Amino acid sequence: MGKIYKGWELIKAIADGEIKNGSRFNVHRTYSAIAVLEDRILHFEDGSKRILTTDDLLIYTFELIEDEIDIDSIEEYKQEYTERCIDIAIRNKMNEILQAVKQIDKRVKKLEKKKYVRILHKMKLHK
């Protein structure tokens, strides 16, 4: 879990250079959203790139998303040297687990995308 900021704390941290460009935040509000800092501008990462307003900063809290592991960049373990049978079994199990994690990650990304599309659709209906 990353550090949680109130809006004014986040502005100060950005101004003091404590928050690096490209940092991402979970925005805690009525529904989950993600914001990203680009060139000292904080905007929602939902396709609209709507910039957060002063009101947004006053009412929401922001949780810094720690560096995430790029699951797709993890490669299967390959035999490099002669291995004992137990090492082969462990390697095979590690590769199975890796494949399961990658499948789950793909499913989560699909669900998040569907969720954002529904949210954007609802927002357009209310305007």
Side-chain angles (χ1 to χ4, degrees), residues 10-55:
L10 181 59
I11 292 170
K12 183 174 181 339
I14 291 169
D16 292 346
E18 295 173 20
I19 308 292
K20 64 182 179 182
N21 199 42
S23 293
R24 298 173 69 227
F25 300 87
N26 281 321
V27 181
H28 299 284
R29 54 188 196 171
T30 54
Y31 58 90
S32 179
I34 294 179
V36 66
L37 180 69
E38 291 180 346
D39 299 322
R40 297 175 60 98
I41 297 172
L42 197 61
H43 63 82
F44 287 112
E45 188 179 66
D46 60 1
S48 71
K49 286 200 162 199
R50 183 176 74 80
I51 296 172
L52 277 82
T53 64
T54 305
D55 287 342

Side-chain angles (χ1 to χ4, degrees), residues 8-121:
W8 65 271
E9 294 170 325
L10 181 59
I11 292 170
K12 183 174 181 339
I14 291 169
D16 292 346
E18 295 173 20
I19 308 292
K20 64 182 179 182
N21 199 42
S23 293
R24 298 173 69 227
F25 300 87
N26 281 321
V27 181
H28 299 284
R29 54 188 196 171
T30 54
Y31 58 90
S32 179
I34 294 179
V36 66
L37 180 69
E38 291 180 346
D39 299 322
R40 297 175 60 98
I41 297 172
L42 197 61
H43 63 82
F44 287 112
E45 188 179 66
D46 60 1
S48 71
K49 286 200 162 199
R50 183 176 74 80
I51 296 172
L52 277 82
T53 64
T54 305
D55 287 342
D56 294 331
L57 293 169
L58 290 173
I59 59 176
Y60 303 140
T61 56
F62 303 84
E63 179 183 353
L64 181 62
I65 298 173
E66 301 294 337
D67 292 334
E68 295 179 351
I69 297 171
D70 181 10
I71 293 170
D72 293 327
S73 70
I74 301 172
E75 296 180 10
E76 286 188 19
Y77 178 79
K78 295 184 173 74
Q79 181 177 354
E80 295 179 13
Y81 306 101
T82 55
E83 297 175 286
R84 300 182 319 220
C85 292
I86 188 83
D87 294 335
I88 293 170
I90 291 171
R91 182 192 69 216
N92 290 340
K93 187 53 68 178
M94 285 177 17
N95 288 336
E96 283 179 39
I97 293 169
L98 176 61
Q99 290 304 315
V101 168
K102 286 184 177 186
Q103 288 173 4
I104 292 169
D105 185 55
K106 286 179 185 176
R107 290 177 189 161
V108 168
K109 286 178 182 176
K110 283 182 185 178
L111 289 172
E112 285 177 344
K113 186 175 180 179
K114 285 181 182 180
K115 179 178 149 185
Y116 283 124
V117 168
R118 281 196 308 267
I119 291 168
L120 287 174
H121 181 70

